[in-house]
Amino acid sequence: MSTTPESTPGSTPSTLRSVGGGGVAGLGAALFGYLVTYLLSSSTIENSTASQVLEALGSDISTWKVVGWVFMSAHGVTTRFPGLFGTTSSANLIENVEAFSPVLYVVPVVALLAAGALAAVVSGASSPQEGALAGVGTTVGYLVFALAGIALFTVSVGDAAISPDPVTSALLAGVAYPAVLGTVGGVAATALR
């Protein structure tokens, strides 16, 4: 009686399936987190004085892009703004704009814990190690979203740009958050089974 490579624990096809499933769950978590952030903050953005001033000046800053800055801020990522004389300043919008609720910090945490748990369940993980592997796979999809967000959430203002900080977007939002929280979610799902 022989076993196929796909059914052997720890085999490459099984590992790829776990990581691939985690990647899909990670991308889903990022999209879900962005959507929840949009629902919680878009009206605040549209009704803000800053938005009305920018609109009057003819700026093309769309609400969905500002929501992207807020979503990235929920991961601790700052948004870079052009300053005077070619300088750049950075700010975490949730921390520095009173209109945004600190509850927004919870959105990526819950989304990634759920994604890690879902990845573990879908992959059939039966041990904490397998759950961790499936959960850490969320990093793949979440990193794709974070890297795309750097470009998608950038707004040109004259010769300068407003955008999420690319380094912290990639490392903090794209790697650290999903690696830790996805893994915890995956391990928790297998421990509770």
Side-chain angles (χ1 to χ4, degrees):
M1 180 184 245
S2 66
T3 58
T4 63
E6 294 174 342
S7 64
T8 305
S11 68
T12 303
S14 176
T15 301
L16 290 175
R17 187 172 43 247
S18 290
V19 172
V24 171
L27 183 58
L31 294 171
F32 176 77
Y34 175 85
L35 177 63
V36 170
T37 303
Y38 188 92
L39 293 173
L40 294 174
S41 64
S42 62
S43 63
T44 301
I45 293 164
E46 291 168 353
N47 296 326
S48 72
T49 304
S51 175
Q52 294 167 1
V53 169
L54 290 170
E55 190 176 306
L57 294 173
S59 177
D60 67 341
I61 298 180
S62 302
T63 300
W64 69 269
K65 289 188 179 202
V66 179
V67 169
W69 303 341
V70 174
F71 181 61
M72 298 307 278
S73 289
H75 298 81
V77 175
T78 58
T79 301
R80 299 182 333 169
F81 298 93
L84 296 175
F85 310 110
T87 62
T88 303
S89 60
S90 297
N92 179 308
L93 297 181
I94 298 172
E95 186 178 302
N96 293 311
V97 178
E98 199 172 294
F100 295 122
S101 171
V103 169
L104 292 168
Y105 285 117
V106 177
V107 172
V109 173
V110 171
L112 282 164
L113 287 172
L118 178 65
V121 169
V122 169
S123 72
S126 58
S127 70
Q129 293 82 7
E130 291 174 357
L133 180 63
V136 79
T138 60
T139 305
V140 175
Y142 219 80
L143 179 60
V144 168
F145 182 89
L147 294 176
I150 295 167
L152 291 173
F153 304 142
T154 296
V155 174
S156 296
V157 180
D159 293 337
I162 303 172
S163 68
D165 178 69
V167 174
T168 54
S169 291
L171 297 179
L172 193 56
V175 176
Y177 262 70
V180 171
L181 295 168
T183 300
V184 169
V187 169
T190 56
L192 294 173
R193 289 175 79 176

